[in-house]
Amino acid sequence: MKIFNYRLIIFALSIIFGVVFSIPSLMQTDSGKKISLGLDLQGGLHMLLGVNTHEAVTSKIKTIATSVKYFTDDEDILIDSLAIDEESITFTVLDPDELARMDEMLAKIKGLEISKVNTDYTVKLTSEEIERTKDLSVSQAVETIRNRLDQFGLAEPTVVRQGTTDIVVQLPGIKTAEDEKAARELISKPANLELMAIDEVRADQVYTMSEAEASQYGDIILEDTKNAAVKYLVKEIPILSGSQVIDAQVAFDTANQPIINFTLNSSGARIFGDFTGKNVGSRLAVVLDGKVYSAPNIRERIGGGSGQISGGFTVQEAGNVAIALRSGALPASVKLLEKRSVGPSLGADSIKASTIALVSGFIIVFIFMIVYYRRAGIIANIALVTNIFIIISVMAMFGATLTLPGMAGIVLTVGMAVDANVIIGERIRELLKQGVSVPKAIEDGYSNAMRAILDANITTLLVAVILYAYGTGPIKGFAITISIGILASMLTAILGTHGIYEALASKISKDKDLKKWFGVK
Amino acid sequence: MEFFKSDKIYNFMGKRLPFLGFSSLLVIASLVILFTKGLNFGIDFAGGTLVQVQYEQKAPIDKIRDVLNETKYKGSSITEFGTPEEVVIRITNTSPDIANDISDEMHKILDSTGSFEVRRVDMVGPKVGNELREKGLMALGLSLIVILIYVSFRFEWRFAVASILALAHDVTIALGAIALVGVEVNLDILAAILTILGYSLNDTIIVFDRIREGVQTSKESILDKVVNESVSKTLSRTTLTSLTTFFVVVTLYLFGGEIINGFAFTMLVGIIVGTYSSIFIAASFLVQLKFSISDYRAKEAEKLKKQKEKDKLRAMYEQGTV
């Protein structure tokens, strides 16, 4: 009797591995790696967001215009008709002697394509710079959304980039419709803060002016956030943008209304100080996401780089805006491409239903195998149970997510995992009927069955790999469970059961009761 | 326990023409259904929004319809889902606005219809729907190519062609059944189709392996007889494995709940068709393709000869007698 054959030892080790590493998932212990449940099983929100990368390019152009304006104001270079369209800035330098200084300034900004006719400038981004900006806008959006969700206090949010323009956001912790809405608002808020100068010369004409007229003066018309009827005429090129905000906190003003205090970085603080110093008496519009929150008079130079946004917030809104400002503006707007939200009760129902199916299917197969094969059936069942433990362990170890189709994959594996043992069992029966001795029937049974099992499993595995590569979400989960199931069944059914037979071979030979062992006379 | 007398050889190939005829009928009927009735694409592929709502009492479907007809969601389809308390509302629109999407609106609109819980909202934009469809087809196509290459390499090209034909047979009939019953085709149904592909292939390859073995070991040189013997010998295994898988899928179908119903149904059809085709159809293709035993044996002998020469050469080389 060969009790200590290497196959049996490996099988024993894989049983131990399977049982030990599936304990955390099955018992829901506090420590140890557990299978994470997909959103369809635990409830939550899955979203696929598309970033409007084109906007990032436009906003980059706008930033360059802001620096040109700041530079020429600062250095007293007279320019005329500074204008932005979506992809380029145009302006004219009035004094030809200043051209060299202007060129020098523009040369410092990377990625520009500058064309110049006499004193007329057209500034564009190079195509590489456009690509880079688009790419950066997506990774920046990922970073921003992740920061915001972290500060919002959700458990384990996942934010990952997918492809060139898309972002996958998964929020397992969402329980109610209100939570979901709040999270969605937080994610989508551009939080683009701009400080803009009011065109005091023409401010009175704002209600009679068309947008086209306004743009002739380099102005745009913005609405008030509380009352859409109130309009402001502001300079198109902002003084400061939200990228210079480093902190934002909720505070309360004298009337106990929530306001947001923000702090600017050093370059922002310098620009802010300079501008307020030069423009005492005129108004400054605080613009958030294209709406004017307030337009206070500048009474004195504001140094130190802090300011406030007041007007029309609830406490919760102010909190969310502050989070959004702190985590930075979204470089471009995002739109919803796909959304799947599953309520926690539905998830629980799905787990219950598929567990019932799994357990009852399992029991039927279990009994059936014993009735058909007798003790050989019991041995096959040991392999089957080990198989399930191994699937759970491996999935837990690699942090794979169990989804509903994944559950179906396991259920299917239960059905198919017995296949290898059935093939082997049939081969052994065949040989026994031909009158071959038990040990030889076992050896030859395994070697005859091997080629078929390998070919069949490898093709199924190849299909699973393709499914994983090209599948999305649920199909990926399905492909993972099937692949692990096939690999595990090769280990348990081919190696494991063979080890058991090897250990028992001499005992079976002595026993002579083949009906008891293989269900055959 | 035994299903079949293991020493009995059934004459499958003798009746292959009637079976091929029956299969052709099934395939043609499936194609007709597919082209006339068509598949009922769900939102994963067609795009749109699905809202699953559970009421505390019986769902007031007429009332929901009345309320929705007053809004821009006029003409949305409302159907019972699993139990009388639960309904699914299918809307063809999608809304790309993250902050205010259809689920917010639905909450407001349905407010007057009773107390309910929104259990699931799925929205798939048109771009994603297209992408999912393309990826799905791509996965299907690539799987077939890989199978073709692998089986050609391990067996012979006629085995590969026969197994692909058998797969096409199984998948077409399964799709026909899906179209006939009107199962909503979503990503999970695609997963089921791809599983059928894997399952039926599994079955076919095990039968083919026996035929390959039969060709190599038996003295029989009439293909029909070798095939009959091989299929008969694998009959127990084919039925046994199909039965165990069938049991599991049936429990999934009965207890898996509404969400998994379409998946289980597709699998159920697939298993039945797959088992039938690996017993009666796959090997028939092989015979129809005029697989030649003598050619195969000659090739194998040639391979063996080359291998032997190589071994001999190596042995001589190692002993230093070259």
Side-chain angles (χ1 to χ4, degrees), chain A residues 47-49 162 165-166 177 180-181 184-185 187-188 334-346 349-350 353-354 356-357 360-362 364-365 368-369 371-373 404-405 408 411-412 414-416 418-419 422-423 426-427 429-430 433-434 448 451-452 454-460 462-463 466-467 470-472 474-475 478 482 515 519-520, chain B residues 1-4 6 43-44 52 54 86 95-101 103-104 107 117-125 127-128 131-132 135-136 138-139 142-143 146-147 150-151 154-155 187-188 190-191 194-195 197-199 201-202 205-206 209-210 212-213 216 233 236-237 240-241 243-245 247-249 251-252 255-257 259-260 263 267 271:
Chain A
M47 290 189 288
L48 181 67
L49 310 175
Q162 182 180 293
T165 59
D166 301 346
E180 189 201 304
K181 191 168 162 55
R184 277 192 279 111
E185 275 173 1
I187 289 169
S188 61
V334 286
K335 57 179 187 293
L336 193 58
L337 300 178
E338 183 190 354
K339 181 183 118 166
R340 291 167 196 276
S341 73
V342 177
S345 68
L346 182 64
D349 283 3
S350 297
S354 39
I356 293 176
S360 48
F362 192 74
I364 295 174
V365 171
F368 188 71
M369 286 298 282
V371 170
Y372 195 86
Y373 279 122
L404 200 55
V411 173
L412 193 72
V414 173
M416 284 173 63
V418 290
D419 187 47
V422 171
I423 296 173
E426 289 299 309
R427 288 286 188 154
R429 274 186 175 187
E430 241 173 72
K433 276 182 201 157
Q434 288 166 17
N448 287 345
R451 199 161 65 160
L454 279 181
D455 276 343
N457 283 345
I458 289 172
T459 36
T460 316
L462 286 174
V463 173
I466 290 171
L467 275 193
Y470 284 90
T472 38
I475 295 204
F478 182 76
I482 288 274
K515 183 148 180 68
V520 67
Chain B
M1 197 173 130
E2 277 179 275
F3 284 137
F4 300 100
S6 57
I43 63 159
D44 284 353
Q52 186 180 335
Q54 189 181 40
E86 220 157 336
S95 127
D97 184 0
I98 303 173
N100 286 299
D101 70 1
S103 60
D104 296 331
H107 267 284
E117 181 196 354
V118 174
R119 300 238 279 173
R120 176 162 67 115
V121 178
D122 283 355
M123 185 216 95
V124 178
K127 185 189 147 207
V128 178
E131 229 173 77
L132 291 179
K135 276 189 168 175
M138 185 83 144
L142 264 180
S143 306
V146 168
I147 293 166
Y150 184 79
V151 178
R154 290 285 294 169
F155 292 76
L187 278 174
D188 48 345
L190 181 67
L194 290 160
T195 314
L197 208 120
Y199 178 83
L201 184 69
N202 201 63
I205 284 190
I206 284 161
D209 172 74
R210 258 307 164 102
R212 179 174 59 182
E213 195 181 306
Q216 282 165 350
K233 277 194 170 157
S236 281
R237 176 264 153 200
L240 188 53
T241 303
L243 270 181
T244 54
T245 317
F247 286 147
V248 181
V249 177
T251 53
L252 202 60
F255 305 117
I259 285 193
I260 221 153
F263 179 89
M267 287 290 309
I271 288 172

Side-chain angles (χ1 to χ4, degrees), chain A residues 27-71:
Chain A
M27 302 287 172
Q28 288 298 313
T29 54
D30 293 331
S31 59
K33 282 193 170 174
K34 288 186 268 285
I35 287 191
S36 50
L37 294 180
L39 293 180
D40 52 351
L41 293 180
Q42 64 166 313
L45 179 63
H46 163 103
M47 290 189 288
L48 181 67
L49 310 175
V51 181
N52 288 321
T53 49
H54 183 71
E55 278 176 23
V57 177
T58 317
S59 109
K60 173 125 189 171
I61 286 284
K62 215 165 152 188
T63 317
I64 291 165
T66 314
S67 356
V68 168
K69 174 139 175 51
Y70 179 73
F71 172 75

Side-chain angles (χ1 to χ4, degrees), chain B residues 73-216:
Chain B
Y73 301 119
K74 198 176 155 120
S76 310
S77 98
I78 302 153
T79 44
E80 195 181 291
F81 194 74
T83 61
E85 287 81 35
E86 220 157 336
V87 287
V88 154
I89 304 168
R90 289 185 181 81
I91 304 162
T92 45
N93 298 36
T94 56
S95 127
D97 184 0
I98 303 173
N100 286 299
D101 70 1
I102 293 181
S103 60
D104 296 331
E105 275 184 56
M106 278 296 153
H107 267 284
K108 274 184 221 135
I109 294 170
L110 296 181
D111 202 34
S112 64
T113 56
S115 81
F116 62 85
E117 181 196 354
V118 174
R119 300 238 279 173
R120 176 162 67 115
V121 178
D122 283 355
M123 185 216 95
V124 178
K127 185 189 147 207
V128 178
N130 276 334
E131 229 173 77
L132 291 179
R133 204 166 40 219
E134 273 165 28
K135 276 189 168 175
L137 283 176
M138 185 83 144
L140 200 64
L142 264 180
S143 306
L144 289 177
I145 293 173
V146 168
I147 293 166
L148 204 59
I149 294 172
Y150 184 79
V151 178
S152 299
F153 172 71
R154 290 285 294 169
F155 292 76
E156 202 243 9
W157 70 268
R158 287 184 192 84
F159 282 90
V161 174
S163 54
I164 295 282
L165 285 175
L167 285 185
H169 165 269
D170 299 353
V171 171
T172 311
I173 294 174
L175 284 174
I178 294 173
L180 185 68
V181 179
V183 174
E184 203 172 308
V185 181
N186 277 324
L187 278 174
D188 48 345
I189 301 297
L190 181 67
I193 298 274
L194 290 160
T195 314
I196 293 176
L197 208 120
Y199 178 83
S200 146
L201 184 69
N202 201 63
D203 250 15
T204 308
I205 284 190
I206 284 161
V207 174
F208 280 4
D209 172 74
R210 258 307 164 102
I211 297 176
R212 179 174 59 182
E213 195 181 306
V215 169
Q216 282 165 350

Side-chain angles (χ1 to χ4, degrees), chain A residues 77-362:
Chain A
I77 299 171
L78 289 176
I79 57 166
D80 190 26
S81 55
L82 175 59
I84 312 176
D85 79 355
E86 283 189 358
E87 283 162 359
S88 61
I89 317 166
T90 50
F91 60 90
T92 309
V93 174
L94 293 179
D95 182 354
D97 291 347
E98 310 280 19
L99 288 177
R101 275 166 73 204
M102 194 69 234
D103 287 344
E104 198 185 319
M105 181 263 164
L106 288 175
K108 278 186 200 149
I109 305 173
K110 285 194 191 96
L112 292 188
E113 193 183 292
I114 303 156
S115 47
K116 189 164 70 169
V117 181
N118 297 324
T119 55
D120 296 341
Y121 280 81
T122 305
V123 178
K124 280 186 189 163
L125 297 178
T126 61
S127 56
E128 298 90 52
E129 187 63 17
I130 290 177
E131 284 316 305
R132 211 182 66 85
T133 308
K134 285 183 173 175
D135 185 62
L136 200 66
S137 71
V138 181
S139 40
Q140 218 177 318
V142 168
E143 197 58 31
T144 306
I145 292 173
R146 194 176 286 150
N147 280 337
R148 288 181 185 178
L149 291 171
D150 281 345
Q151 298 193 26
F152 189 60
L154 276 174
E156 301 170 48
T158 318
V159 185
V160 286
R161 184 177 179 157
Q162 182 180 293
T164 51
T165 59
D166 301 346
I167 301 173
V168 176
V169 177
Q170 294 197 316
L171 306 173
I174 296 278
K175 293 278 184 280
T176 63
E178 290 74 40
D179 276 0
E180 189 201 304
K181 191 168 162 55
R184 277 192 279 111
E185 275 173 1
L186 192 63
I187 289 169
S188 61
K189 182 156 274 277
N192 190 13
L193 179 73
E194 286 168 311
L195 299 177
M196 300 174 111
I198 300 247
D199 186 351
E200 296 290 2
V201 183
R202 301 178 191 85
D204 297 341
Q205 303 163 30
V206 63
Y207 292 103
T208 56
M209 202 181 268
S210 71
E211 303 231 347
E213 259 179 279
S215 80
Q216 282 175 9
Y217 302 114
D219 291 341
I220 46 170
I221 300 169
L222 294 180
E223 287 173 5
D224 188 83
T225 177
K226 277 164 293 185
N227 185 352
V230 178
K231 293 197 162 57
Y232 299 89
L233 190 66
V234 301
K235 286 284 171 203
E236 186 186 8
I237 295 157
I239 304 155
L240 275 178
S241 71
S243 59
Q244 278 146 323
V245 173
I246 48 175
D247 192 20
Q249 298 290 341
V250 180
F252 294 90
D253 64 7
T254 46
N256 215 20
Q257 289 299 308
I259 56 168
I260 297 159
N261 282 331
F262 60 84
T263 314
L264 296 168
N265 65 12
S266 61
S267 82
R270 205 181 68 235
I271 297 171
F272 194 46
D274 285 358
F275 180 82
T276 48
K278 279 182 202 160
N279 293 283
V280 172
S282 39
R283 282 175 296 166
L284 177 73
V286 180
V287 181
L288 187 62
D289 296 338
K291 295 221 162 126
V292 178
Y293 273 72
S294 58
N297 267 308
I298 302 169
R299 271 170 295 193
E300 56 185 1
R301 179 177 186 279
I302 308 172
S306 60
Q308 58 176 226
I309 313 171
S310 58
F313 293 119
T314 65
V315 179
Q316 203 200 343
E317 261 173 12
N320 284 346
V321 171
I323 290 178
L325 277 178
R326 268 207 301 277
S327 358
L330 281 184
S333 67
V334 286
K335 57 179 187 293
L336 193 58
L337 300 178
E338 183 190 354
K339 181 183 118 166
R340 291 167 196 276
S341 73
V342 177
S345 68
L346 182 64
D349 283 3
S350 297
I351 292 187
K352 207 163 68 193
S354 39
T355 310
I356 293 176
L358 184 65
V359 171
S360 48
F362 192 74

